[in-house]
Amino acid sequence: MPNYYVFLGPPGAGKGTQAKIVADTLQLSHVSSGDIFRANLSNQTELGKLAQGYMNRGELVPDDLTISMIRDRLQKPDCGKGAILDGFPRTPAQAEALDIMLRENAGEVVFVPLISVPNNLILERMTGRWSCRAAGHVYHSKYNPPKQAGVCDLDGSELYQREDDKLETVQKRLDVYEKQTAPLIAYYSAQGKLVEIDGSLEITQVTASLLQALAGK
Ligand code: ADP
Ligand code: ADP
């Protein structure tokens, strides 16, 4: 049965960083809703144009657009054996839609690590985040700097600071997380799938906790 893992946590907790490492280690696909939206934005697709305003304001893109985008992505062959989902679901309606779409292919969400980080660390992480244009690889000016400033170690593309990582927008995104996404903690907890992971530790230590928790699933 294909197994899917949902990485939950506030913006800036390290979901993307960890999802990439764990997906590479376990040879699973990594599906990041934020990366897919940003690729659509830079290619100025219809979806990108529809999503842009919401993203720049730090609001969630409406559920119908987001769910159909993820449905398309999960139907690609590389997701048939399972995947790590990062940034999706973010609302109870998205979580319910995910359960239904996975069930159609006899799959299910088996494990939901909640990466917890206090708000003061989150602000520092997001304001120091640099992302690569080509593939969304993520760095931090202090905690995970690239070898050469402004250049991605992995693909040589330009690093940039996200428009929505400005202090005012970060605050808005944290509010949105509390109101719209935090209810998923109870949703997955009630199903016995949630495990809290201390995301305030160093990157390698968080990876070790995640791999250990996943090994027991
Ligand atoms: P972060 O990694 O900092 O949590 P993301 O890259 O996941 O941020 O998301 C950036 C923006 O993309 C969000 O603020 C939102 O506008 C949009 N977005 C990403 N995933 C979703 C989702 N599942 N539902 C609605 N909007 C989303
Ligand atoms: P998310 O996907 O949850 O929004 P990211 O993985 O993009 O979070 O991480 C946000 C920022 O924090 C990035 O600049 C990243 O390099 C940095 N970061 C991630 N994990 C850690 C960690 N454990 N310690 C210090 N910095 C981290």
PDB file of all heavy atoms in Angstrom, residues 9-12 15-16 32-35 37-38 51 54-56 58-63 66 86-91 94 126 129 162 164-165 173, ligand 1:
ATOM      1  N   GLY A   9       3.735  21.932  10.323  1.00  0.00           N
ATOM      2  CA  GLY A   9       4.474  22.870  11.172  1.00  0.00           C
ATOM      3  C   GLY A   9       4.304  24.269  10.633  1.00  0.00           C
ATOM      4  O   GLY A   9       3.917  24.453   9.476  1.00  0.00           O
ATOM      5  N   PRO A  10       4.597  25.267  11.465  1.00  0.00           N
ATOM      6  CA  PRO A  10       4.427  26.655  11.028  1.00  0.00           C
ATOM      7  C   PRO A  10       5.388  27.001   9.893  1.00  0.00           C
ATOM      8  O   PRO A  10       6.382  26.295   9.687  1.00  0.00           O
ATOM      9  CB  PRO A  10       4.753  27.460  12.286  1.00  0.00           C
ATOM     10  CG  PRO A  10       5.571  26.555  13.125  1.00  0.00           C
ATOM     11  CD  PRO A  10       5.133  25.161  12.832  1.00  0.00           C
ATOM     12  N   PRO A  11       5.106  28.104   9.187  1.00  0.00           N
ATOM     13  CA  PRO A  11       6.046  28.552   8.158  1.00  0.00           C
ATOM     14  C   PRO A  11       7.416  28.772   8.804  1.00  0.00           C
ATOM     15  O   PRO A  11       7.497  29.286   9.918  1.00  0.00           O
ATOM     16  CB  PRO A  11       5.451  29.877   7.668  1.00  0.00           C
ATOM     17  CG  PRO A  11       4.334  30.224   8.571  1.00  0.00           C
ATOM     18  CD  PRO A  11       3.960  28.999   9.327  1.00  0.00           C
ATOM     19  N   GLY A  12       8.464  28.359   8.131  1.00  0.00           N
ATOM     20  CA  GLY A  12       9.818  28.579   8.639  1.00  0.00           C
ATOM     21  C   GLY A  12      10.297  27.509   9.610  1.00  0.00           C
ATOM     22  O   GLY A  12      11.420  27.564  10.100  1.00  0.00           O
ATOM     23  N   LYS A  15      10.228  22.561   7.365  1.00  0.00           N
ATOM     24  CA  LYS A  15       9.550  21.456   6.659  1.00  0.00           C
ATOM     25  C   LYS A  15      10.223  21.140   5.328  1.00  0.00           C
ATOM     26  O   LYS A  15      10.508  19.995   5.013  1.00  0.00           O
ATOM     27  CB  LYS A  15       8.070  21.809   6.380  1.00  0.00           C
ATOM     28  CG  LYS A  15       7.251  22.094   7.615  1.00  0.00           C
ATOM     29  CD  LYS A  15       5.808  22.423   7.266  1.00  0.00           C
ATOM     30  CE  LYS A  15       5.629  23.669   6.411  1.00  0.00           C
ATOM     31  NZ  LYS A  15       6.074  24.927   7.054  1.00  0.00           N
ATOM     32  N   GLY A  16      10.458  22.188   4.533  1.00  0.00           N
ATOM     33  CA  GLY A  16      11.044  21.983   3.207  1.00  0.00           C
ATOM     34  C   GLY A  16      12.452  21.416   3.302  1.00  0.00           C
ATOM     35  O   GLY A  16      12.803  20.463   2.603  1.00  0.00           O
ATOM     36  N   SER A  32       6.024  19.669  -2.660  1.00  0.00           N
ATOM     37  CA  SER A  32       5.899  20.918  -1.909  1.00  0.00           C
ATOM     38  C   SER A  32       4.904  21.818  -2.618  1.00  0.00           C
ATOM     39  O   SER A  32       5.158  22.273  -3.742  1.00  0.00           O
ATOM     40  CB  SER A  32       7.273  21.603  -1.830  1.00  0.00           C
ATOM     41  OG  SER A  32       7.110  22.986  -1.592  1.00  0.00           O
ATOM     42  N   SER A  33       3.772  22.090  -1.965  1.00  0.00           N
ATOM     43  CA  SER A  33       2.756  22.942  -2.602  1.00  0.00           C
ATOM     44  C   SER A  33       3.317  24.341  -2.864  1.00  0.00           C
ATOM     45  O   SER A  33       3.061  24.934  -3.917  1.00  0.00           O
ATOM     46  CB  SER A  33       1.488  23.014  -1.748  1.00  0.00           C
ATOM     47  OG  SER A  33       1.820  23.254  -0.403  1.00  0.00           O
ATOM     48  N   GLY A  34       4.115  24.857  -1.918  1.00  0.00           N
ATOM     49  CA  GLY A  34       4.689  26.192  -2.109  1.00  0.00           C
ATOM     50  C   GLY A  34       5.601  26.239  -3.337  1.00  0.00           C
ATOM     51  O   GLY A  34       5.545  27.176  -4.134  1.00  0.00           O
ATOM     52  N   ASP A  35       6.445  25.198  -3.504  1.00  0.00           N
ATOM     53  CA  ASP A  35       7.345  25.159  -4.672  1.00  0.00           C
ATOM     54  C   ASP A  35       6.535  25.108  -5.974  1.00  0.00           C
ATOM     55  O   ASP A  35       6.901  25.742  -6.963  1.00  0.00           O
ATOM     56  CB  ASP A  35       8.279  23.936  -4.618  1.00  0.00           C
ATOM     57  CG  ASP A  35       9.417  24.103  -3.618  1.00  0.00           C
ATOM     58  OD1 ASP A  35       9.577  25.210  -3.055  1.00  0.00           O
ATOM     59  OD2 ASP A  35      10.158  23.121  -3.391  1.00  0.00           O
ATOM     60  N   PHE A  37       3.465  26.221  -6.474  1.00  0.00           N
ATOM     61  CA  PHE A  37       2.876  27.555  -6.706  1.00  0.00           C
ATOM     62  C   PHE A  37       3.938  28.525  -7.228  1.00  0.00           C
ATOM     63  O   PHE A  37       3.696  29.283  -8.164  1.00  0.00           O
ATOM     64  CB  PHE A  37       2.262  28.117  -5.415  1.00  0.00           C
ATOM     65  CG  PHE A  37       0.865  27.617  -5.134  1.00  0.00           C
ATOM     66  CD1 PHE A  37       0.523  27.136  -3.877  1.00  0.00           C
ATOM     67  CD2 PHE A  37      -0.119  27.658  -6.116  1.00  0.00           C
ATOM     68  CE1 PHE A  37      -0.768  26.679  -3.612  1.00  0.00           C
ATOM     69  CE2 PHE A  37      -1.417  27.198  -5.854  1.00  0.00           C
ATOM     70  CZ  PHE A  37      -1.732  26.709  -4.599  1.00  0.00           C
ATOM     71  N   ARG A  38       5.130  28.503  -6.619  1.00  0.00           N
ATOM     72  CA  ARG A  38       6.169  29.452  -7.061  1.00  0.00           C
ATOM     73  C   ARG A  38       6.616  29.167  -8.497  1.00  0.00           C
ATOM     74  O   ARG A  38       6.874  30.100  -9.260  1.00  0.00           O
ATOM     75  CB  ARG A  38       7.365  29.451  -6.094  1.00  0.00           C
ATOM     76  CG  ARG A  38       7.107  30.320  -4.852  1.00  0.00           C
ATOM     77  CD  ARG A  38       8.316  30.395  -3.938  1.00  0.00           C
ATOM     78  NE  ARG A  38       8.587  29.131  -3.285  1.00  0.00           N
ATOM     79  CZ  ARG A  38       7.936  28.695  -2.199  1.00  0.00           C
ATOM     80  NH1 ARG A  38       7.008  29.427  -1.627  1.00  0.00           N
ATOM     81  NH2 ARG A  38       8.223  27.524  -1.668  1.00  0.00           N
ATOM     82  N   ALA A  51      -2.900  32.618  -8.088  1.00  0.00           N
ATOM     83  CA  ALA A  51      -2.349  32.408  -6.736  1.00  0.00           C
ATOM     84  C   ALA A  51      -1.549  33.612  -6.226  1.00  0.00           C
ATOM     85  O   ALA A  51      -1.443  33.825  -5.016  1.00  0.00           O
ATOM     86  CB  ALA A  51      -1.448  31.165  -6.735  1.00  0.00           C
ATOM     87  N   TYR A  54      -2.752  36.106  -3.350  1.00  0.00           N
ATOM     88  CA  TYR A  54      -2.877  35.449  -2.046  1.00  0.00           C
ATOM     89  C   TYR A  54      -1.500  35.226  -1.442  1.00  0.00           C
ATOM     90  O   TYR A  54      -1.268  35.476  -0.261  1.00  0.00           O
ATOM     91  CB  TYR A  54      -3.574  34.084  -2.188  1.00  0.00           C
ATOM     92  CG  TYR A  54      -4.989  34.174  -2.696  1.00  0.00           C
ATOM     93  CD1 TYR A  54      -5.287  33.914  -4.036  1.00  0.00           C
ATOM     94  CD2 TYR A  54      -6.030  34.527  -1.844  1.00  0.00           C
ATOM     95  CE1 TYR A  54      -6.585  33.990  -4.509  1.00  0.00           C
ATOM     96  CE2 TYR A  54      -7.333  34.605  -2.309  1.00  0.00           C
ATOM     97  CZ  TYR A  54      -7.600  34.346  -3.639  1.00  0.00           C
ATOM     98  OH  TYR A  54      -8.877  34.429  -4.101  1.00  0.00           O
ATOM     99  N   MET A  55      -0.562  34.737  -2.264  1.00  0.00           N
ATOM    100  CA  MET A  55       0.771  34.421  -1.750  1.00  0.00           C
ATOM    101  C   MET A  55       1.480  35.684  -1.263  1.00  0.00           C
ATOM    102  O   MET A  55       2.073  35.696  -0.189  1.00  0.00           O
ATOM    103  CB  MET A  55       1.600  33.729  -2.832  1.00  0.00           C
ATOM    104  CG  MET A  55       1.042  32.356  -3.171  1.00  0.00           C
ATOM    105  SD  MET A  55       1.897  31.579  -4.525  1.00  0.00           S
ATOM    106  CE  MET A  55       3.422  31.087  -3.745  1.00  0.00           C
ATOM    107  N   ASN A  56       1.402  36.744  -2.048  1.00  0.00           N
ATOM    108  CA  ASN A  56       2.102  37.967  -1.652  1.00  0.00           C
ATOM    109  C   ASN A  56       1.521  38.573  -0.381  1.00  0.00           C
ATOM    110  O   ASN A  56       2.224  39.205   0.396  1.00  0.00           O
ATOM    111  CB  ASN A  56       2.093  38.997  -2.781  1.00  0.00           C
ATOM    112  CG  ASN A  56       3.067  38.595  -3.880  1.00  0.00           C
ATOM    113  OD1 ASN A  56       3.916  37.734  -3.669  1.00  0.00           O
ATOM    114  ND2 ASN A  56       2.924  39.191  -5.051  1.00  0.00           N
ATOM    115  N   GLY A  58       0.357  36.767   2.014  1.00  0.00           N
ATOM    116  CA  GLY A  58       0.556  35.808   3.110  1.00  0.00           C
ATOM    117  C   GLY A  58      -0.711  35.053   3.454  1.00  0.00           C
ATOM    118  O   GLY A  58      -0.825  34.462   4.536  1.00  0.00           O
ATOM    119  N   GLU A  59      -1.683  35.047   2.517  1.00  0.00           N
ATOM    120  CA  GLU A  59      -2.933  34.304   2.745  1.00  0.00           C
ATOM    121  C   GLU A  59      -2.845  32.961   2.042  1.00  0.00           C
ATOM    122  O   GLU A  59      -2.020  32.772   1.151  1.00  0.00           O
ATOM    123  CB  GLU A  59      -4.116  35.091   2.147  1.00  0.00           C
ATOM    124  CG  GLU A  59      -4.351  36.414   2.845  1.00  0.00           C
ATOM    125  CD  GLU A  59      -5.289  37.321   2.053  1.00  0.00           C
ATOM    126  OE1 GLU A  59      -5.893  36.871   1.046  1.00  0.00           O
ATOM    127  OE2 GLU A  59      -5.399  38.498   2.442  1.00  0.00           O
ATOM    128  N   LEU A  60      -3.766  32.065   2.390  1.00  0.00           N
ATOM    129  CA  LEU A  60      -3.792  30.784   1.688  1.00  0.00           C
ATOM    130  C   LEU A  60      -4.488  30.943   0.343  1.00  0.00           C
ATOM    131  O   LEU A  60      -5.469  31.675   0.217  1.00  0.00           O
ATOM    132  CB  LEU A  60      -4.545  29.736   2.520  1.00  0.00           C
ATOM    133  CG  LEU A  60      -3.906  29.333   3.848  1.00  0.00           C
ATOM    134  CD1 LEU A  60      -4.706  28.203   4.490  1.00  0.00           C
ATOM    135  CD2 LEU A  60      -2.453  28.914   3.662  1.00  0.00           C
ATOM    136  N   VAL A  61      -3.991  30.226  -0.637  1.00  0.00           N
ATOM    137  CA  VAL A  61      -4.653  30.140  -1.934  1.00  0.00           C
ATOM    138  C   VAL A  61      -5.940  29.318  -1.696  1.00  0.00           C
ATOM    139  O   VAL A  61      -5.927  28.381  -0.883  1.00  0.00           O
ATOM    140  CB  VAL A  61      -3.716  29.436  -2.949  1.00  0.00           C
ATOM    141  CG1 VAL A  61      -4.391  29.272  -4.301  1.00  0.00           C
ATOM    142  CG2 VAL A  61      -2.400  30.202  -3.073  1.00  0.00           C
ATOM    143  N   PRO A  62      -7.061  29.671  -2.357  1.00  0.00           N
ATOM    144  CA  PRO A  62      -8.310  28.945  -2.068  1.00  0.00           C
ATOM    145  C   PRO A  62      -8.176  27.426  -2.236  1.00  0.00           C
ATOM    146  O   PRO A  62      -7.422  26.937  -3.079  1.00  0.00           O
ATOM    147  CB  PRO A  62      -9.291  29.527  -3.096  1.00  0.00           C
ATOM    148  CG  PRO A  62      -8.753  30.902  -3.368  1.00  0.00           C
ATOM    149  CD  PRO A  62      -7.260  30.772  -3.290  1.00  0.00           C
ATOM    150  N   ASP A  63      -8.952  26.718  -1.403  1.00  0.00           N
ATOM    151  CA  ASP A  63      -8.866  25.259  -1.359  1.00  0.00           C
ATOM    152  C   ASP A  63      -9.082  24.601  -2.723  1.00  0.00           C
ATOM    153  O   ASP A  63      -8.369  23.656  -3.068  1.00  0.00           O
ATOM    154  CB  ASP A  63      -9.927  24.698  -0.381  1.00  0.00           C
ATOM    155  CG  ASP A  63      -9.492  24.827   1.068  1.00  0.00           C
ATOM    156  OD1 ASP A  63      -8.272  24.930   1.330  1.00  0.00           O
ATOM    157  OD2 ASP A  63     -10.373  24.814   1.943  1.00  0.00           O
ATOM    158  N   THR A  66      -5.998  24.777  -4.857  1.00  0.00           N
ATOM    159  CA  THR A  66      -4.882  24.045  -4.250  1.00  0.00           C
ATOM    160  C   THR A  66      -5.104  22.539  -4.350  1.00  0.00           C
ATOM    161  O   THR A  66      -4.192  21.785  -4.704  1.00  0.00           O
ATOM    162  CB  THR A  66      -4.735  24.470  -2.771  1.00  0.00           C
ATOM    163  OG1 THR A  66      -4.623  25.895  -2.723  1.00  0.00           O
ATOM    164  CG2 THR A  66      -3.525  23.848  -2.132  1.00  0.00           C
ATOM    165  N   ASP A  86       4.727  18.376   1.770  1.00  0.00           N
ATOM    166  CA  ASP A  86       5.281  19.499   2.537  1.00  0.00           C
ATOM    167  C   ASP A  86       4.480  20.752   2.178  1.00  0.00           C
ATOM    168  O   ASP A  86       4.501  21.190   1.036  1.00  0.00           O
ATOM    169  CB  ASP A  86       6.784  19.580   2.171  1.00  0.00           C
ATOM    170  CG  ASP A  86       7.394  20.958   2.243  1.00  0.00           C
ATOM    171  OD1 ASP A  86       6.888  21.808   2.986  1.00  0.00           O
ATOM    172  OD2 ASP A  86       8.412  21.166   1.551  1.00  0.00           O
ATOM    173  N   GLY A  87       3.741  21.274   3.152  1.00  0.00           N
ATOM    174  CA  GLY A  87       2.936  22.482   2.889  1.00  0.00           C
ATOM    175  C   GLY A  87       1.507  22.165   2.475  1.00  0.00           C
ATOM    176  O   GLY A  87       0.707  23.077   2.276  1.00  0.00           O
ATOM    177  N   PHE A  88       1.175  20.931   2.331  1.00  0.00           N
ATOM    178  CA  PHE A  88      -0.181  20.476   2.017  1.00  0.00           C
ATOM    179  C   PHE A  88      -0.431  19.212   2.821  1.00  0.00           C
ATOM    180  O   PHE A  88       0.447  18.346   2.844  1.00  0.00           O
ATOM    181  CB  PHE A  88      -0.324  20.175   0.522  1.00  0.00           C
ATOM    182  CG  PHE A  88      -1.722  19.722   0.151  1.00  0.00           C
ATOM    183  CD1 PHE A  88      -2.671  20.640  -0.274  1.00  0.00           C
ATOM    184  CD2 PHE A  88      -2.080  18.387   0.251  1.00  0.00           C
ATOM    185  CE1 PHE A  88      -3.963  20.235  -0.596  1.00  0.00           C
ATOM    186  CE2 PHE A  88      -3.376  17.977  -0.061  1.00  0.00           C
ATOM    187  CZ  PHE A  88      -4.312  18.904  -0.489  1.00  0.00           C
ATOM    188  N   PRO A  89      -1.594  19.032   3.431  1.00  0.00           N
ATOM    189  CA  PRO A  89      -2.711  19.973   3.521  1.00  0.00           C
ATOM    190  C   PRO A  89      -2.453  21.094   4.532  1.00  0.00           C
ATOM    191  O   PRO A  89      -1.625  20.948   5.426  1.00  0.00           O
ATOM    192  CB  PRO A  89      -3.859  19.074   4.003  1.00  0.00           C
ATOM    193  CG  PRO A  89      -3.192  17.985   4.782  1.00  0.00           C
ATOM    194  CD  PRO A  89      -1.861  17.759   4.127  1.00  0.00           C
ATOM    195  N   ARG A  90      -3.207  22.182   4.376  1.00  0.00           N
ATOM    196  CA  ARG A  90      -3.077  23.333   5.270  1.00  0.00           C
ATOM    197  C   ARG A  90      -4.424  23.770   5.833  1.00  0.00           C
ATOM    198  O   ARG A  90      -4.469  24.760   6.569  1.00  0.00           O
ATOM    199  CB  ARG A  90      -2.498  24.505   4.480  1.00  0.00           C
ATOM    200  CG  ARG A  90      -1.051  24.864   4.800  1.00  0.00           C
ATOM    201  CD  ARG A  90      -0.680  25.973   3.853  1.00  0.00           C
ATOM    202  NE  ARG A  90       0.428  26.782   4.226  1.00  0.00           N
ATOM    203  CZ  ARG A  90       1.671  26.605   3.778  1.00  0.00           C
ATOM    204  NH1 ARG A  90       1.957  25.572   3.012  1.00  0.00           N
ATOM    205  NH2 ARG A  90       2.619  27.453   4.097  1.00  0.00           N
ATOM    206  N   THR A  91      -5.485  23.070   5.465  1.00  0.00           N
ATOM    207  CA  THR A  91      -6.816  23.348   6.042  1.00  0.00           C
ATOM    208  C   THR A  91      -7.501  21.986   6.235  1.00  0.00           C
ATOM    209  O   THR A  91      -7.141  21.012   5.548  1.00  0.00           O
ATOM    210  CB  THR A  91      -7.703  24.181   5.090  1.00  0.00           C
ATOM    211  OG1 THR A  91      -7.936  23.413   3.901  1.00  0.00           O
ATOM    212  CG2 THR A  91      -7.087  25.517   4.723  1.00  0.00           C
ATOM    213  N   GLN A  94      -8.692  20.568   2.984  1.00  0.00           N
ATOM    214  CA  GLN A  94      -7.618  19.962   2.179  1.00  0.00           C
ATOM    215  C   GLN A  94      -7.261  18.576   2.725  1.00  0.00           C
ATOM    216  O   GLN A  94      -6.997  17.642   1.960  1.00  0.00           O
ATOM    217  CB  GLN A  94      -6.372  20.851   2.181  1.00  0.00           C
ATOM    218  CG  GLN A  94      -6.547  22.169   1.431  1.00  0.00           C
ATOM    219  CD  GLN A  94      -5.293  23.036   1.451  1.00  0.00           C
ATOM    220  OE1 GLN A  94      -4.202  22.598   1.799  1.00  0.00           O
ATOM    221  NE2 GLN A  94      -5.456  24.293   1.081  1.00  0.00           N
ATOM    222  N   MET A 126      12.995  32.829   8.866  1.00  0.00           N
ATOM    223  CA  MET A 126      12.397  33.281   7.609  1.00  0.00           C
ATOM    224  C   MET A 126      13.059  34.528   7.048  1.00  0.00           C
ATOM    225  O   MET A 126      13.174  34.686   5.841  1.00  0.00           O
ATOM    226  CB  MET A 126      10.906  33.486   7.784  1.00  0.00           C
ATOM    227  CG  MET A 126      10.235  32.139   7.936  1.00  0.00           C
ATOM    228  SD  MET A 126       8.597  32.305   8.503  1.00  0.00           S
ATOM    229  CE  MET A 126       7.746  32.434   6.974  1.00  0.00           C
ATOM    230  N   ARG A 129      16.195  33.449   5.239  1.00  0.00           N
ATOM    231  CA  ARG A 129      16.061  32.373   4.226  1.00  0.00           C
ATOM    232  C   ARG A 129      16.397  32.884   2.823  1.00  0.00           C
ATOM    233  O   ARG A 129      15.958  33.939   2.406  1.00  0.00           O
ATOM    234  CB  ARG A 129      14.617  31.853   4.247  1.00  0.00           C
ATOM    235  CG  ARG A 129      14.279  30.974   3.055  1.00  0.00           C
ATOM    236  CD  ARG A 129      13.112  30.068   3.313  1.00  0.00           C
ATOM    237  NE  ARG A 129      11.862  30.744   3.569  1.00  0.00           N
ATOM    238  CZ  ARG A 129      10.750  30.097   3.950  1.00  0.00           C
ATOM    239  NH1 ARG A 129      10.752  28.795   4.115  1.00  0.00           N
ATOM    240  NH2 ARG A 129       9.646  30.772   4.172  1.00  0.00           N
ATOM    241  N   ARG A 162      12.468  35.515  -0.621  1.00  0.00           N
ATOM    242  CA  ARG A 162      11.068  35.486  -1.037  1.00  0.00           C
ATOM    243  C   ARG A 162      10.338  36.759  -0.627  1.00  0.00           C
ATOM    244  O   ARG A 162      10.532  37.264   0.466  1.00  0.00           O
ATOM    245  CB  ARG A 162      10.374  34.260  -0.414  1.00  0.00           C
ATOM    246  CG  ARG A 162      10.655  32.992  -1.180  1.00  0.00           C
ATOM    247  CD  ARG A 162      10.241  31.748  -0.447  1.00  0.00           C
ATOM    248  NE  ARG A 162       8.919  31.823   0.172  1.00  0.00           N
ATOM    249  CZ  ARG A 162       8.374  30.811   0.855  1.00  0.00           C
ATOM    250  NH1 ARG A 162       9.030  29.682   0.986  1.00  0.00           N
ATOM    251  NH2 ARG A 162       7.182  30.934   1.397  1.00  0.00           N
ATOM    252  N   ASP A 164       7.363  37.042   0.260  1.00  0.00           N
ATOM    253  CA  ASP A 164       6.513  36.836   1.437  1.00  0.00           C
ATOM    254  C   ASP A 164       7.327  36.547   2.705  1.00  0.00           C
ATOM    255  O   ASP A 164       6.752  36.233   3.736  1.00  0.00           O
ATOM    256  CB  ASP A 164       5.466  35.737   1.181  1.00  0.00           C
ATOM    257  CG  ASP A 164       6.086  34.384   0.838  1.00  0.00           C
ATOM    258  OD1 ASP A 164       7.308  34.327   0.557  1.00  0.00           O
ATOM    259  OD2 ASP A 164       5.353  33.381   0.851  1.00  0.00           O
ATOM    260  N   ASP A 165       8.661  36.665   2.667  1.00  0.00           N
ATOM    261  CA  ASP A 165       9.463  36.502   3.881  1.00  0.00           C
ATOM    262  C   ASP A 165       9.770  37.844   4.555  1.00  0.00           C
ATOM    263  O   ASP A 165      10.602  37.917   5.466  1.00  0.00           O
ATOM    264  CB  ASP A 165      10.763  35.729   3.577  1.00  0.00           C
ATOM    265  CG  ASP A 165      10.524  34.209   3.530  1.00  0.00           C
ATOM    266  OD1 ASP A 165       9.449  33.759   3.963  1.00  0.00           O
ATOM    267  OD2 ASP A 165      11.420  33.486   3.051  1.00  0.00           O
ATOM    268  N   ARG A 173       1.378  35.355   8.055  1.00  0.00           N
ATOM    269  CA  ARG A 173       1.396  33.912   7.775  1.00  0.00           C
ATOM    270  C   ARG A 173       1.325  33.096   9.057  1.00  0.00           C
ATOM    271  O   ARG A 173       0.742  32.023   9.089  1.00  0.00           O
ATOM    272  CB  ARG A 173       2.645  33.562   6.957  1.00  0.00           C
ATOM    273  CG  ARG A 173       2.525  34.081   5.529  1.00  0.00           C
ATOM    274  CD  ARG A 173       3.855  34.149   4.829  1.00  0.00           C
ATOM    275  NE  ARG A 173       4.430  32.844   4.619  1.00  0.00           N
ATOM    276  CZ  ARG A 173       5.705  32.629   4.376  1.00  0.00           C
ATOM    277  NH1 ARG A 173       6.550  33.641   4.317  1.00  0.00           N
ATOM    278  NH2 ARG A 173       6.143  31.414   4.191  1.00  0.00           N
TER     279      ARG A 173
HETATM  280  P1  ADP B   1       6.429  28.058   3.999  1.00  0.00           P
HETATM  281  O1  ADP B   1       7.384  27.014   3.480  1.00  0.00           O
HETATM  282  O2  ADP B   1       7.163  29.243   4.471  1.00  0.00           O
HETATM  283  O3  ADP B   1       5.469  27.520   4.994  1.00  0.00           O
HETATM  284  P2  ADP B   1       5.145  27.702   1.483  1.00  0.00           P
HETATM  285  O4  ADP B   1       6.227  27.748   0.486  1.00  0.00           O
HETATM  286  O5  ADP B   1       4.671  26.351   1.925  1.00  0.00           O
HETATM  287  O6  ADP B   1       5.594  28.542   2.751  1.00  0.00           O
HETATM  288  O7  ADP B   1       3.889  28.512   0.985  1.00  0.00           O
HETATM  289  C1  ADP B   1       4.005  29.812   0.460  1.00  0.00           C
HETATM  290  C2  ADP B   1       2.611  30.327   0.126  1.00  0.00           C
HETATM  291  O8  ADP B   1       2.018  29.487  -0.900  1.00  0.00           O
HETATM  292  C3  ADP B   1       1.599  30.300   1.264  1.00  0.00           C
HETATM  293  O9  ADP B   1       1.698  31.439   2.105  1.00  0.00           O
HETATM  294  C4  ADP B   1       0.287  30.258   0.485  1.00  0.00           C
HETATM  295  O10 ADP B   1      -0.039  31.522  -0.057  1.00  0.00           O
HETATM  296  C5  ADP B   1       0.629  29.325  -0.669  1.00  0.00           C
HETATM  297  N1  ADP B   1       0.364  27.919  -0.307  1.00  0.00           N
HETATM  298  C6  ADP B   1       1.279  26.909  -0.223  1.00  0.00           C
HETATM  299  N2  ADP B   1       0.682  25.765   0.127  1.00  0.00           N
HETATM  300  C7  ADP B   1      -0.638  26.031   0.270  1.00  0.00           C
HETATM  301  C8  ADP B   1      -1.778  25.253   0.636  1.00  0.00           C
HETATM  302  N3  ADP B   1      -1.680  23.954   0.930  1.00  0.00           N
HETATM  303  N4  ADP B   1      -2.989  25.887   0.661  1.00  0.00           N
HETATM  304  C9  ADP B   1      -3.107  27.172   0.335  1.00  0.00           C
HETATM  305  N5  ADP B   1      -2.083  27.967   0.016  1.00  0.00           N
HETATM  306  C10 ADP B   1      -0.844  27.410  -0.018  1.00  0.00           C
END
